[in-house]
Amino acid sequence: MAGNQLVVLNALDVAKTQLYHFTAIVIAGMGFFTDAYDLFCISLVSKLLGRIYYHVDGAPKPGSLPPNVSAAVNGVAFCGTLAGQLFFGWLGDKMGRKRVYGLTLIMMVVCSIASGLSFGDSPKGVMATLCFFRFWLGFGIGGDYPLSATIMSEYANKKTRGAFIAAVFAMQGFGILGGGIVALIVSSAFDHNYKAPPYEIDPIGSTVPQADYVWRIVLIFGALPAALTYYWRMKMPETARYTALVARNAKQAAADMSKVLQVDLEAEQEKVDRFAREKNSYGLFSKEFARRHGLPLLGTASTWFLLDIAFYSQNLFQKDIFTAIGWIPPAKTMNAIHEVYKIARAQTLIALCSTVPGYWFTVALIDILGRFFIQLMGFAFMTIFMFALAIPYNHWTKAENHISFVVLYSFTFFFANFGPNATTFVVPAEIFPARLRSTCHGISAAAGKAGAMVGAFGFLYAAQNKDPAKTDAGYPPGIGVKNSLIMLGFINLAGMLLTFLVPESKGKSLEDLTGENEEGTADTELQNA
């Protein structure tokens, strides 16, 4: 289809892998490193927040965040992220990817620092301030999803586009790992310098005053990687696909990409004007959009929604699962800072052994196996491993089987990341028209964050013990970890079935996929996928 394609876009499609590709991956990827760090680091310190601000004199167990506070602290950033994905996704199509890109980064830096400086003269005041800043932190993070994916998609060549977009998303794994490592370093340093007895020996003394600095340092550190990449984000030119197909400025698109590709490119203003007259007229809520892209949008949004229910419930609450099987000792046998160390160690091991490798398996194989196969396979294995954990759950709770449980649990993470967690991010950046690409990616990603909220809030209550005497303070009895895992298994199964709505985009030009080269292309490509 290249014959009817703009020369500048064809040059991007057939370009060999060059330095600018890797520069774009690093610039966009460091934003994703920050996103993951900021979203997941709260789970490392939420137990500490409970000990510091919700201690109850004479209680047999350390203080913990009340259910409503815990849900707010863990989930408010997701609310912000969902809103940010929709707003900045839309704005990226209206104002351009680059112009909005810097704004999201500034929000992330400012709100990361502000989260760590949360203040108040009462526990409720500190938590309210923390939630306020984490909402706006999430709002900035939300913008990074559609913009990073769209920019990388529009810069990449068609042969390795999947690997480049997946590599940006793979930085999420390093962000989760980075959060664990920072928490390990900070907690071990404080634990070494401020010795404290376990809670069961001295409930008050087990939480030293300096523990309040630990969670603040962990949260503030998230601003650093984002701040380091701001200059380079601002130096990136606008993508040629936005400049030519949306802003309709062929001269600027050719000039920008001539610098990037280091070749002379012709400005084809007449062809751009003809494309504008003949095509690209239908809007997001039109019948034509529904006919061409309605089912694929339903597929990308629904699979991301279901995936994130399972993924975030596992990730945010893995400390509860580890405690339930005895991998993290009972809270009363540790002091406050040492508990942070134990939780961070568990999360770091999971990230190192399964989360990070899974992402990079996707990067290596996505342009060989294809998006559809990897997503289908990932959901299938997540379903199998989730049922393998859930059905004989009592077997795994025995001390001699803890390691086997963690290995199986790690495999669910591995196949989430070598599977739908990566592909649900990649595909929406490829299969929608340039003028709606960022918006549609934002809609798909927002559906994912809605799933993350269901996972984060729902699992918090669902995983509680059926016995009222064994639930966490303030929580009603739930269905237990076993039944929660069974429920997650069925959710993964539904995701596998809905994957059949998502078209394959491997090795095809973006314009061929979306019908922006010539009439009928979109229908043909989506039917053939």
Side-chain angles (χ1 to χ4, degrees), residues 71 74-79 82 302 304-317 445-463 479 484 487-488 491:
N74 280 305
V76 72
F78 293 136
C79 300
L82 188 153
S302 61
W304 205 337
F305 172 78
L306 294 169
L307 175 274
D308 272 10
I309 293 176
F311 186 77
Y312 279 87
S313 62
Q314 287 179 100
N315 224 327
L316 278 173
F317 302 103
K449 279 298 164 284
M453 284 190 277
V454 172
F457 296 126
F459 197 81
L460 197 63
Y461 288 86
I479 61 174
S484 298
M487 195 161 59
L488 292 176
I491 287 168

Side-chain angles (χ1 to χ4, degrees), residues 5 46 51 83 112 122 129 160 164 222 233 250 267 269 291 316 327 372 402 416 483 495 504 517:
Q5 190 178 29
S46 57
R51 286 194 187 230
S112 285
S122 67
T129 313
T160 55
F164 290 157
R233 271 201 187 189
Q269 191 62 48
R291 185 178 70 82
L316 278 173
W327 217 44
F372 178 83
H402 286 173
N483 291 331
E504 179 58 78
N517 271 349

Side-chain angles (χ1 to χ4, degrees), residues 149-223:
T150 301
I151 285 171
M152 198 65 243
S153 172
E154 293 181 345
Y155 262 109
N157 61 51
K158 63 184 180 182
K159 185 179 178 183
T160 55
R161 185 177 61 236
F164 290 157
I165 306 172
V168 170
F169 193 65
M171 293 300 286
Q172 188 179 72
F174 286 121
I176 296 168
L177 183 63
I181 291 170
V182 169
L184 278 174
I185 293 168
V186 173
S187 60
S188 59
F190 273 77
D191 201 22
H192 179 74
N193 286 297
Y194 304 102
K195 301 291 185 185
Y199 181 88
E200 59 189 358
I201 293 175
D202 183 356
I204 301 290
S206 67
T207 306
V208 295
Q210 292 82 1
D212 196 48
Y213 293 117
V214 172
W215 69 270
R216 295 177 185 276
I217 292 169
V218 170
L219 295 189
I220 287 173
F221 194 85

Side-chain angles (χ1 to χ4, degrees), residues 445-519:
K449 279 298 164 284
M453 284 190 277
V454 172
F457 296 126
F459 197 81
L460 197 63
Y461 288 86
Q464 293 298 318
N465 201 295
K466 294 178 184 178
D467 183 351
K470 294 181 180 178
T471 61
D472 291 339
Y475 286 89
I479 61 174
V481 175
K482 175 178 178 173
N483 291 331
S484 298
L485 290 172
I486 290 173
M487 195 161 59
L488 292 176
F490 281 111
I491 287 168
N492 291 328
L493 184 62
M496 187 174 76
L497 297 175
L498 285 165
T499 295
F500 286 94
L501 294 176
V502 181
E504 179 58 78
S505 51
K506 182 183 76 168
K508 299 169 185 173
S509 164
L510 295 178
E511 288 69 46
D512 286 347
L513 280 162
T514 61
E516 290 166 298
N517 271 349
E518 59 187 38
E519 292 298 339

Side-chain angles (χ1 to χ4, degrees), residues 52 105 116 135 202 207 220 273 277 281 294 328 424 515:
I52 295 171
L105 205 65
F135 175 86
D202 183 356
T207 306
I220 287 173
D273 291 339
R277 287 193 303 270
S281 57
I328 295 176
T424 52

